[in-house]
């Protein structure tokens, strides 16, 4: 058999490049992709490129017994560090989208600093902020040794790992942000001439935003037809010698002309369909695609279409932008089409114990009859067709073997969704009505497909607002034409810029509140507050007052040193340090509890690498470690208290270490604070001498404590 399916591919129109795949195998669901990626990284010898929407340093690639028995680290950052140190000549490039405000809760804060801190110099990290305002970097590509490539819908990110069983309860289905539900996704692993296309693409992405260019493409022998050395273990190729094409979406960026190859490719593929179109996709909102499907259904009376997507939206943006728009997509698709020819579905399970769940679909797959197969990163959404960066790999048939390879992928996926075997699905497609055959007689206790009913999630009232923000076709801010005639695009603000803007806004708000309070509350003046502290001397209110002040100061990250000096200035060199120490301990205990409530996820996003440094001290040294941190601060007083709440150290140990580390310097602060107050009221040689003595004693305490801490750390390091 010789098929001319590949003649559909037109470079510079519906695809970027046409090529050939020597070997390929789909990697269905996160457990398989992460396992294959781990194996390939372990085998890498000269280069690794990872380009993604996200590259999270905390992700475990292996789970369970496989993780325990692995000879290389499972966590992606530790694995890449191990590889970079093992092969010092290897070059590793990590290119991640510098995300927008909408994804703060899902992403590592200070991602570049985290990766730079965790990996050696031959691991290079960059954040891409050149995508137009409202768009995202959505390509997901890994190229290893320029001989194998991974591409598709999966990132090394949170909430992606799952097995093909998609169990209702899966103990290993947990990430840095906690447990998550079943998730389905598809990646494709390839070798052969196609790898050069992906190698060029990742280098282009890297070089356009980095002064230090990536290493040159270093292809293996183009004549070789064996499986490459870096091909992962336990994933034998299942597809051989297929013609293919790479289709992209590239938005307008400075110096880059936009391309919409994905959009044109999907429209052209739909126009070829005759019997069955299978789509599984995270989002289906693009009305142009629905119109094309409807037109083809009317032109081909035997054609059937099934779409597999997710059941329930996550949050207001999904419900009002994507689920509300899926209602319109479904209406357009079904308009004038007989019942039983079109189904938009989700995959649901009720297990033997009667517990139910729905599989969240994140994949981007399309199969056209037994002639074409698309596996890529593109959603059927407005943004994926024009505003995000996307890349899809499209396979075509030219032999009987190709035909079997492509239909086997479709049948395998539908077998998973309907709780059947591949052989059972094959029999269904041999019938005259495969669509209704798939939806009937499904296993009661396995996964099965059910039709969507999105009206339960939205009344569409907010659809125009949320769609314009979450699923736009054009940048939220249009490109600006300069006086020179050059058109400059407005990109998403960098994550750091957003953080600093939020901090500045918070400072302005707090400053405004203080200003308002000082002018609107008659008793709130500096003189009254000072008098209030003075009035507490010798009364039962002195200790509660000090404790409340220290707790409030801790919550707003007010410097504890400044507060201790102020307390000493009011209460003197003896009671000042005692009261200050008591207040510091109460504040420490309060923030310790708050840190425990906030949990690791919230704190690590707030503090980045400082969190890790403090936590390492706690793990290494216990009480002594806390004392060392108090003597030689590596992070603010309040941050140390918060981190302690998520560490393995107990509250009593933490407070004991805090006392040991803070009380000696507190005595010195008492002398200095008391001297400062007296020098303003009575600037005599005696008060000036006390101040100098206090500062000298403070400096001596810092010097001695640093020496003792370093001696302890050195002795501990030598012992270990």
């Amino acid at each position: 058999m010789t098929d001319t399916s590949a003649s559909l591919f037109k470079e510079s129109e519906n695809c970027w490049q046409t090529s050939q795949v020597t070997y390929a195998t789909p990697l269905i669901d996160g457990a398989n992709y992460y396992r294959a990626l781990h194996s390939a990284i372990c085998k890498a010898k000269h280069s690794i490129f990872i380009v993604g929407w996200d590259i999270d340093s905390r992700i475990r690639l292996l789970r369970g017994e496989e993780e325990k028995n692995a000879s290389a680290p499972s966590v992606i950052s530790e694995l890449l560090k191990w590889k970079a140190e093992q092969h010092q000549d290897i070059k590793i490039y990590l290119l991640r989208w510098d995300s927008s405000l909408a994804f703060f809760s899902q992403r590592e804060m200070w991602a570049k600093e985290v990766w730079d801190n965790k990996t050696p110099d031959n691991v290079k990290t960059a954040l891409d902020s050149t995508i137009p305002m409202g768009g995202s970097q959505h390509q997901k590509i890994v190229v290893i040794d320029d001989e194998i490539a991974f591409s598709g819908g999966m990132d090394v990110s949170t909430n992606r790992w799952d097995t093909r069983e998609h169990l209702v309860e899966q103990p290993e289905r947990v990430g840095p942000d906690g447990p998550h539900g079943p998730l389905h996704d598809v990646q494709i692993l390839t070798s052969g001439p196609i790898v050069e296309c992906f190698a060029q693409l990742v280098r282009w992405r890297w070089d356009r935003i980095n002064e230090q260019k990536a290493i040159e493409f270093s292809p293996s022998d183009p004549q070789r037809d064996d499986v490459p050395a870096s091909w992962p273990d336990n994933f034998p190729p299942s597809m051989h010698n297929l013609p293919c094409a790479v289709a992209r979406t590239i938005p307008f960026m400075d110096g880059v002309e936009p391309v919409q190859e994905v959009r044109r490719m999907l429209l052209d593929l739909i126009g070829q369909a005759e019997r069955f179109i299978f789509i599984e996709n995270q989002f289906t909102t693009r009305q142009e695609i629905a119109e094309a499907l409807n037109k083809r259904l009317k032109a081909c009376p035997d054609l059937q279409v099934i779409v597999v997507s997710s059941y329930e939206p996550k949050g207001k943006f999904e419900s009002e932008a994507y689920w509300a728009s899926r209602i319109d997509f479904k209406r357009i698709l079904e308009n004038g089409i007989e019942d039983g020819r079109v189904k938009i579905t989700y995959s649901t399970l009720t297990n033997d114990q009667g517990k139910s769940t729905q599989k969240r679909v994140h994949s981007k797959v399309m199969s056209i009859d037994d002639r074409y197969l698309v596996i890529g990163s593109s959603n059927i959404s407005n943004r994926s067709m024009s505003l995000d960066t996307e890349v899809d790999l499209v396979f075509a048939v030219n032999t009987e073997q190709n035909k079997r390879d492509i239909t086997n992928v479709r049948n395998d996926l539908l077998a998973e969704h309907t709780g059947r075997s591949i052989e059972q699905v094959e029999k269904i497609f041999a019938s005259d009505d495969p669509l209704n055959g798939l939806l009937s007689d499904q296993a009661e206790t396995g996964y099965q497909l059910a039709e969507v009913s999105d009206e339960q999630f939205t009344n569409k009232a907010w659809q125009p607002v949320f769609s314009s923000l979450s699923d736009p076709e054009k940048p939220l801010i249009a490109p600006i034409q300069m006086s020179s005639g050059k058109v400059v695009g407005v990109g998403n603000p960098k994550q750091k810029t957003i953080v600093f803007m939020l901090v500045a806004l918070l400072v302005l708000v707090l400053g405004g509140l203080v200003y308002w309070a000082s002018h609107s509350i008659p008793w709130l003046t500096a003189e009254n507050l000072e008098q209030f502290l003075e009035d507490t001397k010798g009364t039962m209110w002195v200790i509660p007052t000090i404790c409340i002040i220290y707790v409030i100061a801790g919550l707003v990250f007010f410097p504890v040193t400044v507060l201790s000096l102020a307390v000493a200035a009011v209460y003197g060199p003896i009671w000042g340090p005692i009261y200050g120490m008591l207040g510091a301990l109460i504040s420490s205990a309060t923030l310790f509890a708050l840190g425990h409530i906030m949990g690791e996820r919230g704190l690590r996003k707030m503090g980045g690498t400082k969190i890790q440094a403090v936590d390492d001290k706690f793990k290494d040294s216990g009480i002594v470690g806390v004392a060392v941190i108090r003597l030689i601060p590596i992070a603010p007083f309040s941050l140390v208290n918060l981190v302690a709440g998520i560490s393995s150290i107990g509250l009593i140990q933490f407070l004991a270490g805090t006392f040991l580390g803070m009380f000696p310097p507190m005595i010195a602060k008492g002398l200095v604070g008391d001297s400062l107050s007296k020098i303003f009221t009575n600037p005599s040689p005696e008060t000036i001498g006390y101040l100098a003595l206090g500062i000298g004693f403070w400096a001596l305490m810092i010097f001695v404590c640093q020496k003792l801490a370093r001696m302890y750390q050195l002795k501990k390091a030598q012992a270990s």
Side-chain angles (χ1 to χ4, degrees), residues 410-422:
R410 177 200 65 193
N411 295 343
D412 189 8
L413 291 169
L414 281 167
E416 177 185 310
H417 294 317
T418 61
R420 293 185 171 98
S421 67
I422 295 177

Side-chain angles (χ1 to χ4, degrees), residues 318-624:
E318 279 201 356
S319 65
E320 298 304 324
Y322 294 102
W323 264 246
S325 295
R326 192 165 73 178
I327 294 173
D328 298 330
F329 186 94
K330 186 173 185 287
R331 173 180 48 78
I332 294 169
L333 176 57
E334 295 176 344
N335 181 39
I337 305 301
E338 311 93 281
D339 291 342
R341 293 184 61 199
V342 178
K343 301 291 182 183
I344 298 182
T345 65
Y346 64 94
S347 192
T348 181
L349 166 72
T350 301
N351 65 14
D352 295 332
Q353 290 76 43
K355 295 181 178 179
S356 298
T357 189
Q358 291 81 37
K359 187 193 308 177
R360 186 165 177 85
V361 171
H362 191 264
S363 51
K364 301 91 171 57
V365 175
M366 181 182 288
S367 167
I368 306 292
D369 296 332
D370 50 13
R371 299 178 64 200
Y372 299 100
L373 173 67
V374 182
I375 297 178
S377 68
S378 305
N379 291 309
I380 300 178
S381 62
N382 294 323
R383 62 184 309 120
S384 282
M385 300 297 123
S386 58
L387 188 56
D388 295 344
T389 61
E390 305 282 9
V391 59
D392 289 0
L393 184 57
V394 188
F395 298 98
V397 163
N398 65 354
T399 68
E400 283 292 341
Q401 182 60 52
N402 295 162
K403 180 178 177 180
R404 287 192 293 271
D405 291 344
I406 283 179
T407 55
N408 190 65
V409 175
R410 177 200 65 193
N411 295 343
D412 189 8
L413 291 169
L414 281 167
E416 177 185 310
H417 294 317
T418 61
R420 293 185 171 98
S421 67
I422 295 177
E423 291 74 21
Q424 288 173 320
V425 175
E426 288 176 351
K427 290 180 181 179
I428 289 173
F429 272 96
S431 69
D432 294 331
D433 189 6
L435 178 56
N436 290 292
L438 287 167
L439 297 182
S440 61
D441 299 324
Q442 300 181 75
E444 292 184 4
T445 57
Y447 269 99
Q448 55 182 257
L449 291 176
E451 290 193 66
V452 301
S453 178
D454 294 329
E455 288 80 4
Q456 62 183 309
F457 300 116
T458 172
N459 60 11
K460 294 169 59 85
W462 289 94
Q463 182 183 4
V465 175
F466 283 92
S467 290
S468 65
L469 294 173
S470 191
D471 190 28
E473 282 190 83
K474 298 179 180 179
L476 298 182
I477 298 180
I480 300 172
Q481 186 166 9
M482 311 301 288
S483 57
S484 62
K486 181 180 179 181
V487 179
V488 178
V490 180
N492 287 305
K494 294 182 178 181
Q495 194 176 54
K496 289 181 181 178
T497 302
I498 296 173
V499 172
F500 291 138
M501 289 171 61
L502 291 174
V503 171
L505 179 62
L506 179 62
V507 170
L508 286 173
V509 170
L510 291 176
L513 289 173
V514 171
Y515 179 83
W516 172 84
S518 63
H519 286 75
S520 303
I521 304 175
W523 55 265
L524 189 60
T525 64
E527 293 78 11
N528 287 343
L529 288 175
E530 183 178 355
Q531 186 61 48
F532 175 73
L533 290 174
E534 290 284 349
D535 292 343
T536 62
K537 285 184 178 180
T539 71
M540 61 180 291
W541 299 107
V542 60
I543 292 178
T545 299
I546 294 295
C547 291
I548 291 171
I549 290 174
Y550 266 86
V551 168
I552 294 173
L555 291 172
V556 299
F557 278 58
F558 188 83
V560 70
T561 295
V562 175
L563 183 58
S564 299
L565 291 173
V567 170
V570 173
Y571 297 105
I574 297 176
W575 287 107
I578 294 174
Y579 291 151
M581 192 67 245
L582 182 60
L585 290 174
I586 296 296
S587 180
S588 297
T590 302
L591 270 73
F592 181 99
L594 181 60
H596 187 73
I597 294 170
M598 289 177 65
E600 183 175 1
R601 175 185 174 187
L603 287 177
R604 291 201 185 279
K605 288 186 182 297
M606 181 177 68
T609 54
K610 280 189 174 181
I611 293 286
Q612 189 64 50
V614 175
D615 200 12
D616 288 344
K617 289 283 187 184
F618 291 150
K619 291 177 182 176
D620 290 343
S621 309
I623 291 177
V624 177

Side-chain angles (χ1 to χ4, degrees), residues 46-344:
H46 75 81
S47 64
I48 299 172
F49 288 82
I50 303 179
V51 172
W53 181 85
D54 190 17
I55 311 171
D56 194 306
S57 70
R58 305 164 295 174
I59 300 303
R60 295 158 52 220
L61 298 181
L62 304 177
R63 309 289 166 108
E65 290 299 316
E66 193 173 13
E67 184 175 31
K68 294 177 184 176
N69 299 328
S71 59
S74 169
V75 176
I76 182 69
S77 56
E78 297 172 8
L79 177 64
L80 291 177
K81 176 185 178 184
W82 171 82
K83 173 54 64 173
E85 292 174 344
Q86 183 187 56
H87 293 275
Q88 296 185 4
D89 292 333
I90 198 171
K91 302 297 182 184
I92 301 175
Y93 302 90
L94 309 177
L95 180 61
R96 195 201 84 157
W97 177 42
D98 193 347
S99 63
S100 70
L101 180 62
F103 296 101
F104 261 31
S105 64
Q106 303 175 33
R107 312 292 290 276
E108 279 186 299
M109 191 74 74
W110 317 119
K112 185 179 188 320
E113 289 78 7
V114 168
W115 273 105
D116 289 345
N117 183 61
K118 290 182 176 181
T119 54
D121 291 341
N122 51 341
V123 179
K124 308 295 183 184
T125 306
L127 305 182
D128 192 343
S129 61
T130 64
I131 312 302
M133 177 74 78
S136 72
Q137 194 316 95
H138 207 241
Q139 296 167 340
K140 300 102 168 21
I141 310 168
V142 178
V143 177
I144 294 181
D145 286 351
D146 289 332
E147 63 183 16
I148 66 170
F150 300 85
S151 64
M154 277 190 268
D155 287 292
V156 181
S157 186
T158 58
N159 299 352
R160 297 291 192 267
W161 186 94
D162 201 5
T163 64
R164 292 204 66 180
E165 292 74 23
H166 302 294
L167 303 174
V168 176
E169 296 177 346
Q170 167 57 267
E172 290 291 352
R173 198 168 56 214
V174 60
D177 298 336
H180 62 90
L183 183 125
H184 171 76
D185 214 332
V186 180
Q187 203 85 342
I188 186 78
L189 168 62
T190 56
S191 71
I194 185 61
V195 175
E196 184 172 358
C197 299
F198 287 111
Q200 290 175 5
L201 181 55
V202 295
R203 284 170 169 83
W204 174 76
R205 291 294 312 279
W206 179 272
D207 289 350
R208 70 179 299 272
I209 67 167
N210 287 282
E211 292 183 5
Q212 186 176 355
K213 305 306 180 186
I215 60 173
E216 295 293 324
F217 175 64
S218 178
S220 56
D221 182 1
Q223 302 302 318
R224 65 181 295 176
D225 59 0
D226 57 333
V227 176
S230 59
W231 190 276
D233 295 331
N234 302 315
F235 292 92
S238 61
M239 304 166 72
H240 307 268
N241 299 321
L242 284 86
C244 61
V246 176
R248 306 163 302 164
T249 299
I250 304 291
F252 175 85
M253 298 181 285
D254 295 348
V256 178
E257 285 299 315
V259 295
Q260 296 185 1
E261 297 155 359
V262 168
R263 169 180 164 269
R264 294 189 177 97
M265 176 63 78
L266 295 184
L267 292 172
D268 289 346
L269 288 172
I270 291 168
Q272 297 291 306
E274 295 177 353
R275 185 164 186 260
F276 201 90
I277 297 177
F278 164 63
I279 299 170
E280 59 175 48
N281 206 281
Q282 182 182 10
F283 301 128
T284 52
T285 64
R286 180 79 174 180
Q287 294 189 10
E288 180 184 31
I289 300 296
E291 290 165 357
L293 289 167
N294 179 267
K295 179 180 178 181
R296 191 62 183 171
L297 282 161
K298 289 177 178 176
C300 299
D302 294 332
L303 180 63
Q304 296 181 328
V305 176
I306 187 168
V307 179
V308 180
S309 193
S310 299
Y311 169 68
E312 188 174 4
K314 290 186 175 181
K316 197 69 173 177
F317 272 92
E318 279 201 356
S319 65
E320 298 304 324
Y322 294 102
W323 264 246
S325 295
R326 192 165 73 178
I327 294 173
D328 298 330
F329 186 94
K330 186 173 185 287
R331 173 180 48 78
I332 294 169
L333 176 57
E334 295 176 344
N335 181 39
I337 305 301
E338 311 93 281
D339 291 342
R341 293 184 61 199
V342 178
K343 301 291 182 183
I344 298 182

